[in-house]
Amino acid sequence: MDLDTFAKNIFDLEEHKKRMVKAIQYIDNNLDTELSLEKVGEIAAYSPFHFHRIFRLITGETVQNYIIRKRIEKSAFYLAVKKNISLKDIYLELGFSNHSTFSKTFKKYYGKSPSEFRKSAPEKFHTIQLKQSKNGQIDAVFQQYICNIENLLNWTTMNLKIKVTDLPEMNLAAVMSLGIANVEPSFNILVDWAKEKKLFPRENVKMISVYHDSFKVTPPDKVRIHACMLLDERLKQQERQVFPETIEAGKFIIGSGEMTLNDFEQCWVSLFLWMNENNYSVRKAFPFEIYHSNFKEHPEGKMIVDFCIPIN
């Protein structure tokens, strides 16, 4: 391969990733609308044929499967935590035309009807795990967490300093990660970009993870996480895999503590539980983590983290 061909291939790869970011963001922000292959392909500046092939190559699933999965996962979240919303309101909001289609599709993913799924959520906090059954169908398994509500709240009090406060708008540089295993490589891409821009290292630099999916309803290898860096000024446009993202100003529950990576799930579970116990409700925005230290520089692998939940 000559140098010109090599350079063109690298450019094409970066351009594909850039366009795919736009497509996925558009899908996730418009789950309540009609999302045709033609429309999403147009957003990404591809013909439907090429977009379908490239999307599947990059994400590991077809565009339609991705859209359906995202709608079903969001409906599962509503069923589990928003008991006051009717099934009809949920499936209509997420683009399903009738109860029969919604129920059949939901059961295919979680092994239960929406009504059964909602009833199965125990009073004690739980996580939802997906596992492959013997007959090849995917079942939803509600697994009781390590401890009951009382013990979990005690753990929260002992390990997290919690406050409710307003945060200003935050301008971020972000790299998309599909799957938990790809978060660290995404941060590496972000840091390399920041070094080129003389933005890293610098004093009090803040690295942030923004969660665009919930581990309760999305498998770890499908969760979309944005590896981010806080900037002093808004990034004007996407540069290779690095794109601008904004966390809007608003009210947040913030749980702060020194944790290992293995503590993160319990921190999130306990913080959402604290939110419910104190009668706060989640705002339509994404939760995120702010890192104040590097676990690789600590002898016990600990880091100082703010766990942030947007609330009304």
Side-chain angles (χ1 to χ4, degrees), residues 125-189:
F125 209 87
H126 61 268
T127 57
I128 300 172
Q129 294 183 337
L130 297 180
K131 73 175 185 179
Q132 195 75 14
S133 64
K134 291 181 180 178
N135 63 1
Q137 296 297 314
I138 296 177
D139 298 322
V141 179
F142 288 92
Q143 185 180 40
Q144 185 176 321
Y145 207 64
I146 316 169
C147 45
N148 60 27
I149 288 179
E150 182 179 354
N151 288 340
L152 194 50
L153 288 172
N154 288 338
W155 185 93
T156 306
T157 303
M158 293 174 60
N159 292 278
L160 286 176
K161 182 179 179 181
I162 300 177
K163 63 181 179 181
V164 177
T165 188
D166 289 318
L167 291 178
E169 180 182 86
M170 286 182 270
N171 296 311
L172 310 176
V175 174
M176 182 183 294
S177 168
L178 287 176
I180 188 68
N182 293 316
V183 173
E184 186 171 354
S186 294
F187 270 114
N188 291 339
I189 292 170

Side-chain angles (χ1 to χ4, degrees), residues 67-81:
I67 292 170
I68 293 173
R69 178 173 63 79
K70 295 295 293 184
R71 285 173 169 164
I72 290 298
E73 287 169 359
K74 193 166 186 177
S75 71
F77 175 76
Y78 285 163
L79 289 167
V81 303

Side-chain angles (χ1 to χ4, degrees), residues 79-95:
L79 289 167
V81 303
K82 297 188 176 185
K83 306 287 188 180
N84 59 319
I85 301 180
S86 70
L87 292 182
K88 184 176 181 179
D89 286 342
I90 290 174
Y91 72 69
L92 288 178
E93 179 178 339
L94 294 175

Side-chain angles (χ1 to χ4, degrees), residues 37-252:
L37 181 63
E38 290 77 11
K39 177 62 178 177
V40 183
E42 180 184 342
I43 295 295
Y46 288 115
S47 70
F49 175 75
H50 286 102
F51 177 64
H52 175 79
R53 296 184 65 187
I54 293 168
F55 188 94
R56 184 167 186 170
L57 178 66
I58 292 177
T59 66
E61 57 188 325
T62 66
V63 179
Q64 189 62 23
N65 284 347
Y66 179 86
I67 292 170
I68 293 173
R69 178 173 63 79
K70 295 295 293 184
R71 285 173 169 164
I72 290 298
E73 287 169 359
K74 193 166 186 177
S75 71
F77 175 76
Y78 285 163
L79 289 167
V81 303
K82 297 188 176 185
K83 306 287 188 180
N84 59 319
I85 301 180
S86 70
L87 292 182
K88 184 176 181 179
D89 286 342
I90 290 174
Y91 72 69
L92 288 178
E93 179 178 339
L94 294 175
F96 291 94
S97 59
N98 57 67
H99 181 273
S100 176
T101 300
F102 171 60
S103 183
K104 183 178 180 180
T105 307
F106 189 95
K107 192 168 185 178
K108 178 181 176 182
Y109 277 79
Y110 288 105
K112 298 180 180 180
S113 70
S115 298
E116 292 171 333
F117 184 92
R118 173 171 269 177
K119 291 177 182 177
S120 298
E123 292 183 2
K124 294 181 179 180
F125 209 87
H126 61 268
T127 57
I128 300 172
Q129 294 183 337
L130 297 180
K131 73 175 185 179
Q132 195 75 14
S133 64
K134 291 181 180 178
N135 63 1
Q137 296 297 314
I138 296 177
D139 298 322
V141 179
F142 288 92
Q143 185 180 40
Q144 185 176 321
Y145 207 64
I146 316 169
C147 45
N148 60 27
I149 288 179
E150 182 179 354
N151 288 340
L152 194 50
L153 288 172
N154 288 338
W155 185 93
T156 306
T157 303
M158 293 174 60
N159 292 278
L160 286 176
K161 182 179 179 181
I162 300 177
K163 63 181 179 181
V164 177
T165 188
D166 289 318
L167 291 178
E169 180 182 86
M170 286 182 270
N171 296 311
L172 310 176
V175 174
M176 182 183 294
S177 168
L178 287 176
I180 188 68
N182 293 316
V183 173
E184 186 171 354
S186 294
F187 270 114
N188 291 339
I189 292 170
L190 181 63
V191 168
D192 288 342
W193 170 86
K195 287 179 178 178
E196 291 179 10
K197 299 292 182 179
K198 310 299 183 185
L199 298 173
F200 187 91
R202 57 190 167 95
E203 188 176 358
N204 297 323
V205 63
K206 294 292 188 295
M207 310 302 282
I208 297 174
S209 288
V210 181
Y211 290 87
H212 288 256
D213 290 314
S214 169
F215 284 96
K216 293 185 181 67
V217 292
T218 305
D221 64 333
K222 301 292 186 184
V223 167
R224 182 159 70 90
I225 302 170
H226 289 181
C228 303
M229 177 183 294
L230 183 62
L231 302 178
D232 294 331
E233 298 180 357
R234 187 188 299 266
L235 184 64
K236 293 181 180 179
Q237 61 184 8
Q238 185 169 340
E239 300 178 10
R240 303 196 299 274
Q241 295 182 56
V242 182
F243 56 90
E245 180 161 4
T246 301
I247 295 175
E248 295 182 357
K251 183 179 291 186
F252 293 84

